[in-house]
Amino acid sequence: MRTIATSSEPLVRALGVVARVLATVGEDRIETVTLNRGRISLHPHDLSEGEQIARTLGCTLPMDHRTLVPGTTDWSGDIEGHEVHIRAQLRSLTGEPA
């Protein structure tokens, strides 16, 4: 039994991080949460809010996906030892939303 409890610990910790993140940004702003050991992905209801949500959480590393239709920007960062990704509307090269 102890092995099962130990192997689920990272997911339990990640659930705690998700709860704090949702309390910070407002759970009504997030449509989907995907959770893996060490990685959390958030998909906002409105992609135009994604960058603001990411910056609120301290996720400041953008990766633009311009070949997707529609294009998106994946903002990432570290929260309490978890890699966190927030999907957002594609940035333009000038810093304004595309």
Side-chain angles (χ1 to χ4, degrees):
M1 283 295 225
R2 183 165 174 89
T3 303
I4 293 171
T6 302
S7 67
S8 67
E9 185 178 318
L11 287 176
V12 172
R13 282 194 351 240
L15 283 171
V17 171
V18 168
R20 289 185 287 284
V21 162
L22 292 177
T24 299
V25 301
E27 67 179 78
D28 57 318
R29 295 172 74 191
I30 304 299
E31 181 177 340
T32 306
V33 175
T34 305
L35 178 66
N36 303 64
R37 284 177 171 76
R39 187 177 310 116
I40 299 166
S41 297
L42 304 172
H43 188 283
H45 279 291
D46 184 349
L47 289 181
S48 68
E49 291 189 78
E51 182 175 354
Q52 179 186 18
I53 291 169
R55 291 190 182 280
T56 297
L57 297 173
C59 296
T60 58
L61 300 171
M63 178 176 280
D64 298 328
H65 299 281
R66 296 186 179 282
T67 59
L68 299 176
V69 178
T72 61
T73 298
D74 176 35
W75 291 89
S76 64
D78 181 272
I79 299 176
E80 298 179 34
H82 291 81
E83 180 182 327
V84 178
H85 296 266
I86 297 96
R87 184 175 292 213
Q89 182 177 23
L90 183 63
R91 304 178 307 151
S92 71
L93 295 177
T94 62
E96 295 295 319

